[in-house]
Amino acid sequence: YEAELKLVQADLNQKLDQISELSGEPRKSAIRLAERTLDEANELLGQMRIEKQNIPSATRSKINQRFRNFESDIDGQKRKLKTLSDDRKALFGNRYSDNPDSDQQLEQRQQLLSGTERLDRSSQRLRDSQRIANETEGIGRDTLADLQLQRETIQHTRMNMLESEGYVDRSVKTLRGMARRMATNRIITVAIITILVLLIIAVIYSKFH
């Protein structure tokens, strides 16, 4: 987080320098961008605050010192941004005046600025919702594709099993046929041997009588 926080701080410093050179609407836009960058820096600082609790005590003192330096730097940037934001003359340009007659116009401008910020936040939330919806739709499509692939795999496996069962049935029939032929051949062989034995006995009998 430390390297990322340094990059965010550098970006925030650049935005603060740009604000000093702007006025009117460009200055307002630059201030809003700087506020968002400051929020990001505070989030990173909060994450660092959580992570440093898990660091061993032997090295935590150095980490605490760097953390305090980061906090001090961000506080300074926050004060500078507040100073720039409070500069109404620069914020509203030449239209700003301390004249009481312009208080109503100033209030209207502030309301307009507040409404613009709310609109920006609502637009951002809408974009985030749209992004989440698109991601969910993509996940749904991927899931349906996976289910279709699994269905085809199951069907293919079932067809292979049916085909294998057919092979087994044919093999069983073939073996049964072979067994019947072997039994028949055995019977024929026994019959032939019996006939030969009887013939031999008959020949021998005929010679002695």
Side-chain angles (χ1 to χ4, degrees), residues 10-184:
D11 184 34
L12 181 57
N13 282 328
Q14 184 178 3
K15 286 182 171 63
L16 292 175
D17 293 338
Q18 291 175 350
I19 292 173
S20 302
E21 301 173 357
L22 300 174
S23 62
E25 291 300 326
R27 187 183 182 95
K28 297 176 187 177
S29 298
I31 288 175
R32 286 195 294 270
L33 291 175
E35 288 174 345
R36 293 171 186 167
T37 305
L38 181 61
D39 290 339
E40 183 178 356
N42 284 323
E43 288 179 4
L44 289 172
L45 201 63
Q47 292 172 353
M48 288 177 63
R49 184 180 292 107
I50 296 173
E51 289 294 330
K52 75 184 182 71
Q53 301 299 326
N54 300 324
I55 297 175
S57 301
T59 58
R60 191 178 299 174
S61 58
K62 294 181 181 179
I63 299 298
N64 285 334
Q65 181 59 42
R66 290 206 299 271
F67 183 78
R68 284 192 292 270
N69 291 337
F70 281 125
E71 279 187 323
S72 178
D73 293 341
I74 292 177
D75 286 340
Q77 291 173 321
K78 182 178 181 180
R79 287 192 297 271
K80 183 176 181 180
L81 178 59
K82 187 176 186 306
T83 300
L84 294 171
S85 301
D86 291 341
D87 189 351
R88 294 186 177 182
K89 185 172 183 179
L91 186 62
F92 296 104
N94 294 328
R95 294 175 298 174
Y96 175 76
S97 173
D98 289 332
N99 192 328
D101 294 338
S102 65
D103 288 345
Q104 185 177 2
Q105 295 180 356
L106 177 59
E107 183 178 356
Q108 292 175 351
R109 294 191 190 102
Q110 289 175 337
Q111 292 176 353
L112 178 61
L113 179 60
S114 178
T116 302
E117 291 176 350
R118 287 195 296 270
L119 180 61
D120 289 341
R121 289 194 294 270
S122 299
S123 300
Q124 183 62 41
R125 285 195 292 269
L126 181 61
R127 286 191 294 268
D128 291 340
S129 300
Q130 183 64 38
R131 175 179 55 80
I132 293 172
N134 292 335
E135 292 176 354
T136 304
E137 183 180 357
I139 293 173
R141 285 197 300 267
D142 293 340
T143 303
L144 289 176
D146 291 339
L147 291 174
Q148 179 65 24
L149 181 60
Q150 292 175 5
R151 179 175 178 272
E152 293 176 355
T153 302
I154 293 172
Q155 289 179 341
H156 181 68
T157 303
R158 182 172 179 273
M159 292 177 62
N160 289 337
M161 291 178 63
L162 293 175
E163 187 175 355
S164 299
E165 290 178 358
Y167 290 149
V168 172
D169 291 340
R170 286 195 293 271
S171 299
V172 170
K173 291 179 181 178
T174 301
L175 290 173
R176 287 176 178 172
M178 292 174 63
R180 284 195 296 269
R181 284 194 295 272
M182 289 176 65
T184 302

